[in-house]
Amino acid sequence: MKMKKVASLFLTACIGASALAGCSTGNGDKSADGETTIEFWAAPNPTQQVYWKEMAKEFEKENPKINVKVSPIKESPTSEASIQSAIAGKSAPTMSENINRGFAAQLAESKALVPLNEIDGWEKLLKNRNMTDTIKTWKFSDDNQYVMPIYSNPMLFGWRIDVLKEVGVNEIPQTYSEVLDATQKLKEKYPDKYLWAKGDLADPTAWKRWFDFFMLYDAASGGNNFIEGDKFVAEDKAGVEVLKFMDDLRKEKALLTKQATDPFESALGIFTDLGPWTFSYWEEKFPEMKYNENFGLSLPPVPDGTEVKNINTFADTKGIVVYASATEEERKAAMEFMDFVYSDPENDLKWLETTKLPPARDDLSTNESFKAFFDKNPVLKPYAEAVPNAIPSIDNAKYNELQTHIGRYAVNPVVKGEVDPEKGWNEMKKAIKEELKK
């Protein structure tokens, strides 16, 4: 998750709009015999590399005039830095995966990416994969689509339902007042337990806001964009309500903001963010954690008076981009490769079985192709159901700085009791607006 921004003036100089044509690697140019080779950089994860090599082999059988070379993105010092270095050095691939919207915004600002909606076949791809709703929240502030979503991990909250039942709460709370009521009952019976035991609440690191603030804010605001281009468009009411909710939990002594070892698994805390990658880890280390026995899953709680259906949440998401250095032939071949992979739901099923990462498609919870998988893995079905309402990260090149301000001025001081919610929100808003002007 941790993203490390690498600034590169050389990158910007190399890939100015007037120089893009000269930055092609030449690896994908059409050869004399009419063949085109495209280079695909896969995430530095062995299971994903195996998947993409298999997809490339199957694609080449049906498209003998297109060769797909799959290799991993180098992680030294980070995959983002490796991509930026390749672009600056005129050795970028045709396409790569493992790109979130924040990093894509950096690349798009430098004219390093092709708007996918400008490549013939984009609308056909969206229709074939059944992702018309899912793709809407991926549109960038300039109305372009720079990333083809591969997977969408809607973040859900886990609850220790065994502890809730012990304190007389038989249903997972859905609203702030219900959460506070459950918290009071918890503290009455178990004064040494916490609702939310999470040291990250007091840490300003940018990416940590994806897994606390943005989950709650996306739910409270109905999926508001927060930032559009260089404009702060967040809803004040929703933002203050989220911070007030956190402050109310603090007043109930329900927050543990110091680091603790496995607080949810040990039931020191009974509420935490959980991604679908958690459960393979639990199978090995915490086999006693059983879905619908001692823990349950829910969308984020919402302010009182909010309709408790179609609730939004933050989505941990990554996708594919096509680089501006690609020739017209490469771009066309890249789109054909993506359409081949995503026009068959069996390929998404193979991805799901291999990675446990939910494919970014509208029908994930209803398509018969996935039914057997979710019958076998029922803990993952709530994630599939949440995909169409999951909100990806902000599409601003300064996402690291902007999200750091959310922690530094709002979330961190509020949970420490150093500032009241409204003041924290206003100081955060001021800092973000000043950052956006730079």
Side-chain angles (χ1 to χ4, degrees), residues 53-68:
K53 286 180 179 178
E54 183 178 339
M55 289 296 102
K57 187 180 298 184
E58 293 300 315
F59 173 75
E60 289 172 346
K61 288 179 183 176
E62 295 187 20
N63 299 271
K65 294 290 187 180
I66 301 175
N67 303 309
V68 183

Side-chain angles (χ1 to χ4, degrees), residues 70-358:
V70 177
S71 59
I73 302 171
K74 294 178 181 178
E75 287 189 279
S76 180
T78 65
S79 58
E80 291 79 23
S82 294
I83 288 169
Q84 288 180 314
S85 178
I87 294 170
K90 303 184 182 181
S91 58
T94 309
M95 59 200 300
S96 73
E97 64 161 336
N98 208 40
I99 308 295
N100 70 31
R101 286 176 86 239
F103 182 50
Q106 290 183 21
L107 298 177
E109 188 177 77
S110 298
K111 309 297 183 186
L113 299 180
V114 178
L116 299 178
N117 48 287
E118 293 181 2
I119 304 177
D120 188 45
W122 172 246
E123 293 299 328
K124 175 187 173 187
L125 169 61
L126 299 183
K127 182 179 178 181
N128 285 346
R129 201 196 189 193
N130 197 336
M131 57 186 305
T132 304
D133 289 336
T134 301
I135 197 65
K136 288 177 183 175
T137 56
W138 282 74
K139 184 176 285 190
F140 284 66
S141 56
D142 63 358
D143 286 334
N144 283 316
Q145 294 282 9
Y146 293 100
V147 187
M148 167 62 193
I150 297 177
Y151 66 84
S152 177
N153 285 321
M155 293 301 300
L156 301 180
F157 279 109
W159 289 85
R160 287 299 300 259
I161 56 175
D162 51 352
V163 179
L164 284 178
K165 288 176 181 176
E166 288 173 15
V167 302
V169 179
N170 295 315
E171 299 289 337
I172 289 177
Q174 293 181 292
T175 65
Y176 290 174
S177 62
E178 289 175 359
V179 174
L180 289 168
D181 179 65
T183 298
Q184 290 164 358
K185 291 177 178 176
L186 172 73
K187 298 299 285 187
E188 285 173 10
K189 187 174 180 66
Y190 298 116
D192 294 331
K193 289 187 183 294
Y194 299 86
L195 178 82
W196 203 354
K198 185 175 182 178
D200 288 356
L201 289 167
D203 186 332
T205 304
W207 63 264
K208 296 185 178 184
R209 299 293 74 81
W210 288 331
F211 307 107
D212 47 47
F213 174 80
F214 273 109
M215 291 179 68
L216 293 169
Y217 176 78
D218 286 337
S221 68
N224 169 267
N225 281 344
F226 198 76
I227 289 170
E228 290 181 356
D230 60 356
K231 296 187 183 303
F232 178 82
V233 298
E235 291 182 4
D236 291 336
K237 182 175 183 291
V240 173
E241 283 181 323
V242 167
L243 295 178
K244 187 177 184 302
F245 172 60
M246 290 181 164
D247 193 45
D248 287 342
L249 293 176
R250 177 194 63 81
K251 291 174 182 176
E252 296 290 341
K253 296 181 171 52
L255 301 178
L256 177 64
T257 57
K258 295 179 180 178
Q259 293 294 341
T261 302
D262 303 321
F264 185 74
E265 294 84 349
S266 67
L268 175 64
I270 66 165
F271 170 83
T272 194
D273 56 287
L274 293 178
W277 54 80
T278 305
F279 310 112
S280 296
Y281 164 70
W282 276 359
E283 284 175 8
E284 294 185 12
K285 192 170 181 183
F286 298 100
E288 69 276 11
M289 297 297 288
K290 301 294 184 184
Y291 181 50
N292 284 337
E293 291 183 20
N294 54 8
F295 81 93
L297 296 169
S298 79
L299 288 159
V302 293
D304 293 11
T306 304
E307 193 173 11
V308 289
K309 66 177 184 179
N310 296 324
I311 293 171
N312 297 101
T313 187
F314 170 74
D316 167 52
T317 54
K318 297 283 181 67
I320 297 173
V321 298
V322 175
Y323 293 95
S325 54
T327 65
E328 289 300 321
E329 286 297 327
E330 290 176 46
R331 297 178 190 190
K332 180 181 177 183
M335 186 61 70
E336 289 182 27
F337 178 51
M338 286 191 285
D339 189 56
F340 170 83
V341 173
Y342 294 120
S343 62
D344 186 350
E346 291 299 317
N347 292 333
D348 267 333
L349 175 61
K350 198 172 295 182
W351 168 272
L352 184 59
E353 292 172 335
T354 302
T355 67
K356 300 296 189 291
L357 299 173

